[in-house]
Amino acid sequence: MKYIRVGTSRPYDVHIERGSLKKSGELISAVINSKKAVIVTDDTVDKLYSEALTKSLEKSGISADIFVFPHGEQSKNLHTLGNIFDFLCEKGITRSDFLIALGGGVVGDITGFAAASFLRGIEFVQIPTTLLAQVDSSVGGKTAVDIPGGKNLVGAFKQPALVICDSDTLKTLPEEELACGMAEVIKYGMIRDKNLFEVCETRNISNIHEVMDDIVYTCIDIKRQVVENDEFDKGERMILNFGHTLGHAVEGWHNYTNYTHGMGVAAGMCMITRRFCDSDIVMRLEKCVEAYKLPISTEAPMNELLPFCAKDKKCESSSISYIVCPEIGNAEIRKTTTADFFRLMEG
Ligand code: NAD
Ligand code: GLY
């Protein structure tokens, strides 16, 4: 068992332990007094893990109703959020009760936003069940839903009361979803931790499970440091977006269909590294990315991607911030005019 204390404006623990889903009741009771909760989950995760969670909650005297919505990004919207609010009213949830997000980043983001806004804020616990959610979205307090104008455009900063990471739950993940999380793990190695990158490059999609607890711990600890320094995303936190500006553009170019976020991040990291870094770093990154069956480039022409970059949240009216890793384990934030970025990337 390992745990990490995240020292944000509202401090909380991340508990990392195989099999910890079955101890959730006990872990939650140690930080939350209420005996009434609503579990929010998607239909896939519900079938796999709701029973184990409710049993554990019952043992600790916590009663929980379950709100289930269809899996996938297309559910992370105001319509589902409205249905969650209606369900909370129906179940008589008060300010002293709490929500539990059981699932991937979609469940975590929408549940966190519901917790931030229902009754002007109630407690919530994150139980992330994808690798991406364990190493990234469940920690740091960013919550959001998508609107027709764009992804994650409506949200709030809301830190959870507790995060429980059970790497056993990752064993049921489809390989594509595991790869998606590995893109973020490789990102952490590139921006902050040469040793983590070396672990990634000496393994592959088939044998990475053996070292999963260590990987999850290392990534969350990096995220902790970054978020503690810049909780509200005004500067350093931007390094977490290495590969993401181009990655989001590639995802957008594919209309967010048949192209995962992890594929976008992987291709985006390789594209920016090829443009700005030495060939030995490029070769190592590409080989590592390929070991997890992720792409190193895209068929999308650069001139068609750049307009998508201009819509990125890290893009101000005429300037853009992008992240470069001149060496493995070290990231730099660079800011330039959008026109100059376009010229550099097309060159
Ligand atoms: P997801 O939540 O859609 O999960 C991916 C798929 O895996 C879903 O179909 C889900 O049902 C299934 N699944 C989840 N756990 C499973 C398990 N243990 N076994 C089998 N199947 C399982 O996607 P995701 O990749 O976890 O998260 C992506 C979302 O996270 C995006 O909406 C993104 O914007 C958000 N995000 C947020 C942050 C943040 O800081 N808040 C950071 C990164 C990403
Ligand atoms: N996933 C990026 C962040 O939390 O800032």
Side-chain angles (χ1 to χ4, degrees):
M1 189 277 276
K2 291 181 173 176
Y3 81 95
I4 291 174
R5 183 82 173 156
V6 184
T8 37
S9 51
R10 185 252 203 264
Y12 55 99
D13 287 341
V14 182
H15 182 102
I16 304 158
E17 185 181 15
R18 277 177 197 261
S20 51
L21 178 68
K22 294 190 181 123
K23 286 168 58 175
S24 305
E26 197 185 308
L27 294 168
I28 291 170
S29 295
V31 294
I32 292 182
N33 288 328
S34 169
K35 294 292 175 199
K36 186 168 167 174
V38 164
I39 299 167
V40 180
T41 190
D42 71 30
D43 52 353
T44 305
V45 179
D46 178 49
K47 289 187 195 89
L48 292 165
Y49 300 115
S50 283
E51 194 182 333
L53 174 58
T54 45
K55 273 190 182 157
S56 170
L57 294 173
E58 271 166 26
K59 269 197 227 158
S60 296
I62 300 169
S63 69
D65 289 296
I66 310 179
F67 179 87
V68 184
F69 63 81
H71 67 276
E73 186 72 31
Q74 65 282 358
S75 287
K76 204 178 101 175
N77 56 32
L78 293 170
H79 177 73
T80 312
L81 184 70
N83 289 340
I84 295 174
F85 291 148
D86 290 344
F87 189 82
L88 301 181
C89 291
E90 208 179 285
K91 299 298 171 191
I93 293 299
T94 68
R95 265 202 186 141
S96 56
D97 304 324
F98 64 103
L99 305 186
I100 303 175
L102 174 70
V106 165
V107 169
D109 276 14
I110 197 165
T111 309
F113 189 43
S117 44
F118 188 69
L119 304 178
R120 300 199 181 87
I122 62 175
E123 295 277 28
F124 88 115
V125 172
Q126 289 266 22
I127 307 186
T129 62
T130 63
L131 180 56
L132 179 138
Q134 293 198 358
V135 299
D136 189 358
S137 59
S138 63
V139 176
K142 281 190 184 174
T143 73
V145 293
D146 306 331
I147 56 170
K151 269 191 73 172
N152 295 327
L153 288 194
V154 177
F157 285 98
K158 167 82 179 171
Q159 303 296 343
L162 175 70
V163 183
I164 301 171
C165 293
D166 177 352
S167 62
D168 276 349
T169 62
L170 305 182
K171 289 180 183 157
T172 52
L173 269 187
E175 189 177 270
E176 191 183 63
E177 296 300 340
L178 187 67
C180 205
M182 280 310 298
E184 301 291 348
V185 174
I186 295 167
K187 174 199 78 179
Y188 282 115
M190 285 293 291
I191 62 169
R192 268 292 162 85
D193 191 330
K194 197 164 166 273
N195 293 338
L196 173 64
F197 185 83
E198 283 165 7
V199 171
C200 295
E201 71 180 346
T202 50
R203 291 190 170 259
N204 59 53
I205 193 77
S206 311
N207 62 20
I208 196 71
H209 268 298
E210 294 161 19
V211 288
M212 201 50 95
D213 279 350
D214 288 342
I215 283 190
V216 169
Y217 177 87
T218 306
C219 293
I220 294 175
D221 202 41
I222 295 170
K223 182 140 189 190
R224 173 194 66 75
Q225 292 163 33
V226 174
V227 168
E228 282 179 356
N229 287 339
D230 180 21
E231 181 173 351
F232 298 106
D233 208 7
K234 304 280 188 214
E236 180 182 337
R237 191 161 176 170
M238 229 182 270
I239 67 166
L240 298 174
N241 283 312
F242 174 53
H244 283 58
T245 302
L246 284 165
H248 286 149
V250 180
E251 281 183 85
W253 190 85
H254 284 271
N255 282 322
Y256 300 97
T257 43
N258 300 325
Y259 206 88
T260 65
H261 177 66
M263 289 164 77
V265 170
M269 290 191 294
C270 292
M271 284 153 75
I272 203 101
T273 302
R274 274 197 295 275
R275 182 66 193 87
F276 294 102
C277 302
D278 293 345
S279 60
D280 59 321
I281 298 180
V282 175
M283 270 162 45
R284 284 179 69 185
L285 176 60
E286 288 183 349
K287 194 161 173 264
C288 184
V289 158
E290 284 178 325
Y292 297 93
K293 302 189 182 171
L294 290 161
I296 59 168
S297 60
T298 168
E299 67 201 81
M302 190 55 78
N303 64 339
E304 290 182 25
L305 290 180
L306 293 174
F308 285 97
C309 294
K311 286 192 210 158
D312 196 273
K313 284 201 291 301
K314 282 148 318 286
C315 190
E316 290 156 27
S317 55
S318 60
S319 67
I320 191 164
S321 295
Y322 59 98
I323 318 302
V324 174
C325 298
E327 56 195 37
I328 291 172
N330 182 22
E332 277 176 12
I333 301 172
R334 297 185 186 170
K335 191 170 178 174
T336 186
T337 61
T338 321
D340 197 39
F341 180 72
F342 286 11
R343 189 183 54 74
L344 285 167
M345 289 310 298
E346 280 185 313

